[in-house]
């Protein structure tokens, strides 16, 4: 990967990139209130399961599919991937989380880069929202950022955001937050490899407790996060 591609990828996945990721907890806020996540020892397996069986894996597969469709200039495939991605969110709040971040990502890219040509072409036929991983996959392909590195950076950002939410909610210390991120490195690597080798036909999810926490968060009495 050349320096420009690396610079772009680091910019897109930076916490300072204005997509509002810090406002979402992916159901962790309710999991903390319900006593399911109360320590570092609870948090690491909770996020590991999201990576392996939930949004981590599905986002990775969708991102990879969008990347390859963009490389092949296949707008029909991109529309199908986008429709599947929008339909795949298991709860209203997770749908909000991924579509709002996708919308913000597309808006910022459109204002700072002239290379996001596929997004413009897709917008002529698709007027619905783009979920975040699909938007990232399209933009990365248009900018020549390698897929493996894009997946790793995307999943690292996903993990970091969930850990950041837990640091504020449990609460955990900043050092414990970094311990959690470090403990999940191998899982991110496995999910990245899996996404590279897996087709949309194998898309699936099995994180029922995470989905329940996400659905329950909608009626939680006191909330700091939007999901």
């Amino acid at each position: 990967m050349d320096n420009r591609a690396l610079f772009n990828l680091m910019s897109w996945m930076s916490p300072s990139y204005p997509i509002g990721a810090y406002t979402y907890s992916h159901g962790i806020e309710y999991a903390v209130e319900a006593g399911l996540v109360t320590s570092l020892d609870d948090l690491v397996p909770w996020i590991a399961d999201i990576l392996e069986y939930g949004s981590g894996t599905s986002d990775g597969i969708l991102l990879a599919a969008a990347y390859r469709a963009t490389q092949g200039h296949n707008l029909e495939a991109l529309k199908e991937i986008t429709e599947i991605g929008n339909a795949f969110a298991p709860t209203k709040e997770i749908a909000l989380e991924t579509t709002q971040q996708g919308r913000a990502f597309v808006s910022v890219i459109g204002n700072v880069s002239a290379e996001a040509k596929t997004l413009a072409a897709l917008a002529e036929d698709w007027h619905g929202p783009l979920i975040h991983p699909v938007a990232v996959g399209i933009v990365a392909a248009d900018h020549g950022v390698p897929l493996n590195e894009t997946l790793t950076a995307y999943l690292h950002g996903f993990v970091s955001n969930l850990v950041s939410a837990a640091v504020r909610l449990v609460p955990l210390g900043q050092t414990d937050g970094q311990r959690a991120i470090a403990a999940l490195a191998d899982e991110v690597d496995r999910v990245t490899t899996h996404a590279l080798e897996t087709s949309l036909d194998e898309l699936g999810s099995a994180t029922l407790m995470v989905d329940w926490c996400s659905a329950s968060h909608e009626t939680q009495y006191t909330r700091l996060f939007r999901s």
Side-chain angles (χ1 to χ4, degrees), residues 25-174:
S25 81
H26 208 78
I28 286 178
E29 184 164 20
Y30 189 83
V32 171
E33 181 173 298
L36 299 171
V37 176
T38 61
S39 67
L40 177 64
D41 290 340
D42 297 330
L43 179 64
V44 171
W46 185 270
I47 297 178
D49 281 352
I50 294 174
L51 283 170
E52 185 172 1
Y53 303 112
S55 296
T57 288
S58 58
D59 281 4
I61 294 170
L62 288 161
L63 190 160
Y67 185 101
R68 289 169 174 144
T70 301
Q71 280 191 317
H73 307 289
N74 191 339
L75 287 179
E76 287 302 315
L78 275 177
K79 285 192 288 185
E80 181 181 5
I81 293 161
T82 299
E83 290 173 354
I84 292 171
N86 283 329
F88 202 73
T91 70
K92 177 181 177 181
E93 289 197 349
I94 288 178
L96 173 72
E97 180 178 320
T98 190
T99 56
Q100 291 283 49
Q101 289 184 73
R103 183 177 292 110
F105 185 82
V106 169
S107 176
V108 177
I109 284 290
N111 281 289
V112 302
S113 173
E115 298 177 55
K117 297 177 181 178
T118 302
L119 286 177
L122 181 61
E124 294 181 6
D125 291 323
W126 173 261
H127 304 293
L130 283 179
I131 66 169
H132 188 213
V134 168
V136 170
I138 293 170
V139 170
D142 271 346
H143 286 75
V145 181
L147 177 54
N148 182 78
E149 284 80 356
T150 300
L151 282 165
T152 301
Y154 176 88
L155 292 170
H156 179 275
F158 180 72
V159 166
S160 296
N161 192 62
L162 296 187
V163 169
S164 177
V167 166
R168 287 171 277 170
L169 289 165
V170 173
L172 298 173
Q174 295 291 336

Side-chain angles (χ1 to χ4, degrees), residues 15 17-25 101 161 164-165 168 224-226:
Y17 209 73
I19 61 170
Y22 68 93
T23 64
Y24 301 101
S25 81
Q101 289 184 73
N161 192 62
S164 177
R168 287 171 277 170
L224 296 176
F225 295 83
R226 299 181 70 187

